[in-house]
Amino acid sequence: MTSEIQNKDLHQLGVAQLAKAMAERKVSAAETAQHFLARVKSHPELGAFVALNDDVTLAQARAADEKIAAGNAGALAGVPVAHKDIFVTTDFPTTAGSRILSGYQSPYDATVVRKLAEAGVVTLGKLSCDEFAMGSANENVAVPAVGHDKVVPVRNPWDQDRIPGGSSGGSAAAVAARLAPAATGTDTGGSIRQPASFCGITGIKPTYGRASRYGMVAFASSLDQAGPMARSAEDCALLLSSLCGPDPDRDSTSLDRPAENYSRSLNDSLEGLRIGVPKEFLGDGVAPGVRAAIESALAEYEKLGAKRVEVSLPRTELSIPVYYILAPAEASSNLSRFDGVKFGHRANQYADLNDMYRKTREQGFGDEVKRRIMIGTYVLSHGYYDAYYLQAQKVRRMIADDFQNAFKDCDVIAGPAAPTVAWKIGEHGDDPVADYLADIFTLPGSLAGLPGMSLPAGFDGHMPVGLQLIGNYFGETKLLNAAHRFQQATDWHTRTPEGF
Ligand code: GLN
């Protein structure tokens, strides 16, 4: 340890800085892991972590130190990363936020986890999320957080009376509070972008199929994608370069395209970049403070040489009913595997096999999950399939076509990640539709399978606002380049919530 890096400040370093400091042996992976573990334990109030294992984390860190010393370490050697508890891991339990997976220990690692480990990442622990990634507020979680005996909501570090967003709420809160330099998340309808926006961090969901879904507990398979959440686009680029890539033997929807180096074009000029702003994304439903932050961000882009053009995504509103038909339909099928036989929880008293299934699922699933299984089963049932499921599939295709029309006039689409900042815990009460409506700006890109990200772009009052950038298929490089240049010119992404 040299005098340049103070151990007590390690959590202020991002992924790129930590990787560099470790490669130059200015700090060891073991002391870095120790520092972050201590920090996580000193902030149980956020409820961000659901599993820690010091022995595993420190063993991984020591192994990273050995590889660094031997000169054969990966690009991210020694960097601590925490995983959303929807990625299965051999060294930590996996719950997907659900009681039905209590006691579940996976015999294998998710591909994303494995690829990051191969790059040298040290697993810091598992992060709270909405049950089966169904939610927008991390209020649907059903497992206790580290340091608590009871289930607690994850709190937003910018205002602990507020939600962190969801479903990757633990990931966003942990990164915002500097409990981890980076985390993994998954995004089915916005679960990386919306919590990143609400917690003032940067997160990217790549093109559908870019990252392997193997070992990601399935919610809606035609939408689910993994991605990194960190403080900067530079850090996200590093992680994304390691976690993407084909996985033909394990995920048939992973795309046959070699991994890319997303860091390479971060500094490209934005001169002449056409930024399309869909008029539907800045309408009446957007909070004035959010609109103002987005407008200033767009003005900043114009200063950087980009050109603002107006585009239209006319079916934006339809993305809500379409998504909330298709995602539950897929979920109802995916979640049929949780029957008390193969995984996790099983009711301990039952009359016969059917009664065992019924009681296990009744006890194991939370309200939102049950609601979606029922909606999904309904829209897939004989007599309703054509009216709902098939119709939604057709509109999904039209939504994807609308994007292709818009991309004739622009290179990147920009707008808010969400219409408001993070709301108060409990504010939406028992009204799930209030949560669903807040997904309006992230759902269209998800339905089209496009890459999208959120980056900090200012505040509405004391709460962060995220700028969403949506790219065309495989446009991750352009998104990260646009985000990085913005972050070179602004300091929103460096702001830290008070007390952290
Ligand atoms: N909020 C959306 C939902 O509840 C999206 C969740 C996600 O992306 N996993 O389904």
Side-chain angles (χ1 to χ4, degrees):
M1 188 79 183
T2 71
S3 54
E4 291 163 54
I5 299 169
Q6 294 291 312
N7 216 339
K8 65 175 180 35
D9 294 330
L10 278 174
H11 56 277
Q12 301 299 354
L13 304 185
V15 173
Q17 293 162 313
L18 280 169
K20 184 163 179 284
M22 280 188 259
E24 292 170 356
R25 309 196 57 191
K26 292 192 170 139
V27 59
S28 73
E31 63 191 322
T32 304
Q34 237 141 11
H35 177 81
F36 277 99
L37 284 171
R39 223 177 129 72
V40 170
K41 288 175 199 160
S42 67
H43 288 291
E45 75 283 5
L46 294 176
F49 278 77
V50 292
L52 290 179
N53 185 330
D54 291 31
D55 293 345
V56 164
T57 301
L58 294 173
Q60 289 182 6
R62 282 191 294 268
D65 279 329
E66 278 165 28
K67 285 198 168 163
I68 293 168
N72 61 359
L76 297 172
V79 176
V81 172
H83 293 297
K84 181 177 183 178
D85 197 24
I86 200 131
F87 293 95
V88 302
T89 42
T90 51
D91 290 333
F92 297 83
T94 302
T95 67
S98 184
R99 265 190 304 270
I100 209 154
L101 275 173
S102 61
Y104 177 66
Q105 190 74 39
S106 170
Y108 66 97
D109 280 325
T111 295
V112 162
V113 170
R114 176 177 59 78
K115 284 175 92 77
L116 287 172
E118 283 166 5
V121 154
V122 171
T123 305
L124 194 54
K126 301 291 287 286
L127 294 158
S128 184
C129 60
D130 282 304
E131 189 173 0
F132 292 105
M134 297 176 188
S136 307
N138 222 118
E139 290 177 306
N140 298 334
V141 59
V143 300
V146 168
H148 298 263
D149 302 326
K150 288 195 306 246
V151 176
V152 291
V154 178
R155 295 180 183 276
N156 191 315
W158 291 94
D159 176 346
Q160 295 191 28
D161 290 333
R162 290 178 190 257
I163 56 125
S167 64
S168 312
S171 307
V175 173
R178 278 49 174 165
L179 306 188
T184 50
T186 62
D187 191 310
T188 302
S191 282
I192 288 176
R193 290 161 288 162
Q194 184 256 30
S197 165
F198 284 2
C199 289
I201 64 159
T202 307
I204 181 164
K205 165 201 120 65
T207 305
Y208 177 79
R210 202 68 189 87
S212 171
R213 290 183 299 107
Y214 182 69
M216 248 167 72
V217 177
F219 162 15
S221 309
S222 77
L223 295 151
D224 297 342
Q225 257 307 278
M229 302 170 78
R231 270 150 33 206
S232 67
E234 183 187 17
D235 287 357
C236 284
L238 276 170
L239 292 157
L240 194 67
S241 304
S242 294
L243 68 80
C244 282
D247 195 12
D249 299 334
R250 299 195 165 103
D251 174 7
S252 61
T253 62
S254 83
L255 296 165
D256 183 19
R257 237 179 122 105
E260 282 177 62
N261 178 349
Y262 294 110
S263 304
R264 226 177 7 219
S265 332
L266 286 175
N267 284 308
D268 285 4
S269 161
L270 300 187
E271 201 58 52
L273 180 82
R274 295 168 307 161
I275 299 198
V277 182
K279 56 176 189 275
E280 297 80 4
F281 277 34
L282 286 174
D284 285 346
V286 178
V290 170
R291 188 179 306 120
I294 300 301
E295 286 291 352
S296 330
L298 293 169
E300 185 64 45
Y301 270 109
E302 287 181 299
K303 278 199 236 156
L304 291 168
K307 230 173 67 205
R308 175 174 175 169
V309 292
E310 187 181 273
V311 295
S312 176
L313 295 172
R315 275 164 275 251
T316 296
E317 278 187 13
L318 285 179
S319 65
I320 299 173
V322 166
Y323 173 88
Y324 281 99
I325 287 170
L326 296 179
E330 295 186 30
S332 72
S333 163
N334 272 327
L335 269 55
S336 64
R337 78 191 66 180
F338 301 105
D339 55 7
V341 177
K342 297 185 282 297
F343 316 98
H345 175 76
R346 175 185 298 173
N348 48 29
Q349 283 187 339
Y350 45 86
D352 54 26
L353 184 63
N354 270 327
D355 193 42
M356 189 279 281
Y357 292 153
R358 200 176 56 76
K359 292 212 169 99
T360 296
R361 289 166 68 86
E362 160 65 34
Q363 294 162 9
F365 289 139
D367 289 348
E368 182 62 22
V369 175
K370 287 177 184 156
R371 184 178 298 123
R372 297 204 190 190
I373 290 173
M374 285 190 284
I375 293 171
T377 308
Y378 179 81
V379 299
L380 288 174
S381 60
H382 184 71
Y384 295 103
Y385 183 91
D386 287 6
Y388 294 106
Y389 183 76
L390 213 59
Q391 192 65 12
Q393 288 288 28
K394 289 180 187 162
V395 183
R396 178 181 191 175
R397 161 54 61 189
M398 295 165 97
I399 289 169
D401 290 345
D402 288 345
F403 274 104
Q404 291 314 308
N405 261 332
F407 281 124
K408 286 182 189 145
D409 299 321
C410 65
D411 306 302
V412 165
I413 287 173
T420 65
V421 294
W423 52 90
K424 293 245 168 80
I425 292 173
E427 189 177 323
H428 288 178
D430 290 330
D431 180 10
V433 177
D435 276 16
Y436 301 170
L437 293 176
D439 293 340
I440 182 159
F441 300 135
T442 49
L443 298 179
S446 294
L447 289 164
L450 295 167
M453 68 184 297
S454 177
L455 58 147
F459 290 84
D460 178 4
H462 61 302
M463 297 306 292
V465 172
L467 173 74
Q468 182 180 202
L469 299 177
I470 302 172
N472 211 338
Y473 301 111
F474 302 112
E476 291 84 4
T477 307
K478 196 165 281 167
L479 293 185
L480 289 161
N481 165 215
H484 180 67
R485 291 302 295 240
F486 181 83
Q487 293 184 334
Q488 298 291 95
T490 60
D491 70 352
W492 303 117
H493 65 295
T494 66
R495 307 288 179 96
T496 313
E498 216 182 295
F500 298 98

